[in-house]
Amino acid sequence: MFSSLKWKLSITYLLIIVTIMTLSGFFLIKSIRNYYLNNTKINYLTQANILSNLTAQNLNSGNTSLRSIIKNYSKQVNARVLFINRDGRVLIDSFGKEKGLEGEILTFEEVESAVKGESRAKIHYIENGGWVLYVAVPVFAFQRVAGVVMFSASINSVMENIKEIQWQLITIFLFIGIIITLISFMVATYINKPIGKLTRAVNRMAKGDLSTRVKIYTKDEIGQLAQAFDKMGHELERYDKRLKSFVANASHELRSPLSSIKVMVESLLNEKEPDYKITREFLTDINKEIDRLTRLIKNLMELTRMDKMKELNRTEFNLTDLIEEVVEKLEPLAKQKQLTVNIRAPQNFEVYMDYERIFHMVANLVDNAFKYNIDNGVVEISCKREDNNVVLTISDTGIGIPEENIPSIFERFVRVEKSRTRESGGFGLGLALVKEIVELHEGKIEVESTINEGTTFKVILPDVKHG
Ligand code: ADP
């Protein structure tokens, strides 16, 4: 239980607070005590000095008048007052001749210091009398110490006051301590709550529930972490969906040619006396299906390679040459449909891109422009520089793409009306690859299409090096 963050935080706070409060309390109490006692000492020293001056002035007026001065003063300052000679013998005691110490010799260090000319004030604790302040002040006459005036005052009430203040301080500190402890516990609980929520969400996600969200929208670090977690969850879910549909689509695409091959092989095997013409026809179809399978696997491998290798292998090459090479490679298809292909590109069009991938991209777009064109149609391919970009346009006069299908044609295995394109052999992977290549080059692709009029694909790629 104490290993949880909440407790760790609370105990740390508590230790810090207790240490700070104990130290500051200790110093506060000490300075208050010193302040009070020093004040008392100064007060009595001042009084003793006044009396010392008075005594000095009345030294020659005889013991009786001195005695009455001292007695009066004793009442005034509420202390026992002694007049002591240089030998330490008490000459006058405000307590009177009988009850007092008159005639006795005192050996207090305060008296000894005062005889040497130094005033002294010291606190003593006496068994039955409690706290007592002794103040001894020299009496100067004719520039020499003629005697000592000594005060002995009970300071029990001062000590009581100090004690009272100490208890008040301790109570206040305890109260503050308890309040701060409660607040720190509440703060720790408050901080810990979203962390607990986040931990539970992470555990749920680790068990496979990708729809888990934390939904903490605070702006602090924990809120930011929670929002990043939710975003990650969203991406994972999207990725998972894509992966599942990719696997389902890929398996489906792989299965259909295999089923056709199996049906044809089985009917050939069931033929007791195989007819050469029919056998040849079947074998031709099987061969076509095998070609289709091979193309599908090649496309899948290319996609996987693209997913794995996100690094571009940029080199400098002539884009116009690349376009011409692509068109040349696909010429049989153009010829079959008697298409007119126009290339509008500068002779030397140097770009710094991934040659292999750009070739693949142009080949896929041109292949589509040929595949989905009408007989005797036209294909226009152009490239130019525009605002630090390379703009490549491929237009055809083909069947066009319905507007509602345009947003999805770049997804894997998406084909518009499978029946119309089935014979042309598309798997719906070409444009997915094109999009990945464009994004790897940090560019974008736009489509404009009108049914039965034609389609234009516009690829805009940042012109690295030349721009
Ligand atoms: P496919 O391998 O089927 O050609 P693509 O990913 O290249 O797959 O294209 C996805 C779908 O978009 C195609 O099936 C086709 O219906 C449509 N399409 C792509 N290019 C064109 C085009 N130039 N004209 C008309 N339709 C097109």
Side-chain angles (χ1 to χ4, degrees), residues 368 371-372 396 401 409 414-416 420 426-428 430-431 455:
N368 281 351
K371 262 195 316 197
Y372 304 116
D396 62 61
I401 309 165
I409 51 169
V414 166
R415 288 190 310 234
V416 180
R420 76 174 186 166
F427 300 108
L431 286 181
T455 308

Side-chain angles (χ1 to χ4, degrees), residues 238-252 411-414:
R238 219 168 56 106
Y239 188 76
D240 187 56
K241 257 189 212 151
R242 264 184 68 186
L243 191 71
K244 279 180 182 147
S245 86
F246 178 74
V247 172
N249 284 324
S251 333
H252 177 78
E411 281 170 30
R412 293 174 183 191
F413 292 109
V414 166

Side-chain angles (χ1 to χ4, degrees), residues 195-213:
I195 295 179
K197 210 171 161 193
L198 203 61
T199 314
R200 284 192 295 280
V202 171
N203 283 333
R204 269 205 305 278
M205 192 165 276
K207 278 183 191 150
D209 180 4
L210 297 182
S211 65
T212 305
R213 299 288 180 275

Side-chain angles (χ1 to χ4, degrees), residues 295 299 364-373 394-402 405-406 408-418 420-422 424-434 447-451 454-457:
R295 262 186 292 130
N299 269 319
N364 270 318
L365 291 171
V366 174
D367 184 51
N368 281 351
F370 287 2
K371 262 195 316 197
Y372 304 116
N373 217 325
I394 294 152
S395 324
D396 62 61
T397 51
I399 54 174
I401 309 165
N405 294 105
I406 289 184
S408 59
I409 51 169
F410 292 102
E411 281 170 30
R412 293 174 183 191
F413 292 109
V414 166
R415 288 190 310 234
V416 180
E417 287 175 62
K418 291 188 186 176
R420 76 174 186 166
T421 59
R422 168 86 178 142
S424 21
F427 300 108
L429 292 174
L431 286 181
L433 261 167
V434 167
V447 197
E448 261 177 42
S449 187
T450 313
I451 289 285
T455 308
T456 301
F457 281 91

Side-chain angles (χ1 to χ4, degrees), residues 58 166 184 288 400:
N58 291 287
Q166 275 177 2
S184 70
K288 266 193 200 158

Side-chain angles (χ1 to χ4, degrees), residues 389-404:
N389 289 316
V390 171
V391 181
L392 176 76
T393 322
I394 294 152
S395 324
D396 62 61
T397 51
I399 54 174
I401 309 165
E403 212 180 319
E404 68 270 20

